[in-house]
Amino acid sequence: MGKTISLKYDFSFKYLFLNETVRRHFISDALGIPLQEIRSARLSNTFLWKRYWKQKQGILDVVVELNDDSKVNIELQIEMLSYWDRRSLFYLSKLFTEGLLSGQKYNKLKRCICISILGFNLDERTEYHKVYRLRDETGYDFSDMLEVHVIELNKSLSGTHRMDDWIRLFNVRTEEELEMLEESTKSLGILEAIREVRVMSLRKNLRLIHEARQKEIRDRDAREDYVRSEGIKQGLEQGLEQGLEQGLEQGENRVNRLYRALIADGRYEDLEKSIHDKQLREQLYQEYGIK
């Protein structure tokens, strides 16, 4: 059977949640609340404003506002990030405070919930849907205003959780797997999501975006492998005891700086060819310290 568009990409993930039926059913299953309690789930602005010009801009994946004005951020993160927990709290905190205008009372603050769908394991525990709240050491709730849900896609399913079929959907790679899920699920939300995946797979422009995204990932991996190996080589040549560790770190930093520089310069040619361009090499050295 042929491949289908994966939901593990930002464009397909956001496209899926444009469907209000999908949003309502997903939130109902993730938060464990009855569907009838969600009369509407309207999409909100996914760009968090900055209070100060030096403040870091926050960009969320999908932000939904519920009837009681609670905000739900649905985030997809496939690759492991350093300090992911702090990053998640940073976005959740901005989401919590951005709605309070100058002079307004604290009672105007709204409940904020973050649902993070992860393509990596956060820890070694078998639970794949975890809920974190502000509580004391005895388990007594301090406040329900902030809540974090973590859903890990790579762990074994128990077969009894409301999120199981959603996890299967995000892991689908082929039309055959999609059909198997369609035959086994009892969720109207999953069935609607499957319909949206098929629509995405048929749309030529989305297919082109999907293929371009896959190419970008392959190219990025190739660039990172090259620069990482250069970083390792440099670390070993310096004879440092921690040469390997520092070389890896330098390689990661270099590829990030170099990638941004190439984009800014409009140069998308092969990294190995570009690095031998004398003028570009001089530019990278002057602006980023990359030799």
Side-chain angles (χ1 to χ4, degrees), residues 34 40 250 277:
S40 69
Q250 290 173 8
D277 185 312

Side-chain angles (χ1 to χ4, degrees), residues 114-148:
C114 176
I115 303 175
S116 295
I117 304 168
L118 304 183
F120 56 90
N121 291 342
L122 191 62
D123 53 46
E124 299 302 319
R125 291 185 291 166
T126 59
E127 295 86 357
Y128 48 89
H129 181 191
K130 306 180 184 71
V131 184
Y132 300 93
R133 300 187 181 96
L134 293 175
R135 292 173 173 160
D136 66 13
E137 64 272 17
T138 67
Y140 184 83
D141 278 346
F142 171 73
S143 172
D144 67 347
M145 296 296 286
L146 297 176
E147 184 172 298
V148 177

Side-chain angles (χ1 to χ4, degrees), residues 240-277:
L240 296 174
E241 186 176 354
Q242 299 86 10
L244 178 59
E245 180 180 349
Q246 290 189 2
L248 282 169
E249 182 178 353
Q250 290 173 8
E252 294 288 350
N253 291 335
R254 283 186 173 196
V255 74
N256 290 332
R257 294 196 299 267
L258 181 57
Y259 187 63
R260 289 195 300 270
L262 288 172
I263 291 178
D265 193 52
R267 304 291 294 274
Y268 295 96
E269 60 263 37
D270 179 76
L271 175 63
E272 187 172 0
K273 178 181 177 181
S274 298
I275 204 64
H276 288 90
D277 185 312

Side-chain angles (χ1 to χ4, degrees), residues 169-211:
L169 178 66
F170 277 98
N171 285 325
V172 160
R173 294 171 297 177
T174 65
E175 176 63 26
E176 182 179 15
E177 293 174 346
L178 202 62
E179 289 181 357
M180 291 175 60
L181 178 58
E182 186 177 32
E183 293 173 358
S184 63
T185 189
K186 297 179 181 179
S187 168
L188 294 179
I190 293 291
L191 292 174
E192 180 69 9
I194 290 173
R195 188 188 71 81
E196 289 290 353
V197 171
R198 289 204 170 107
V199 170
M200 279 188 273
S201 298
L202 290 173
R203 292 186 60 177
K204 183 178 180 181
N205 60 330
L206 288 176
R207 171 62 68 179
L208 292 175
I209 295 174
H210 174 69
E211 292 173 352

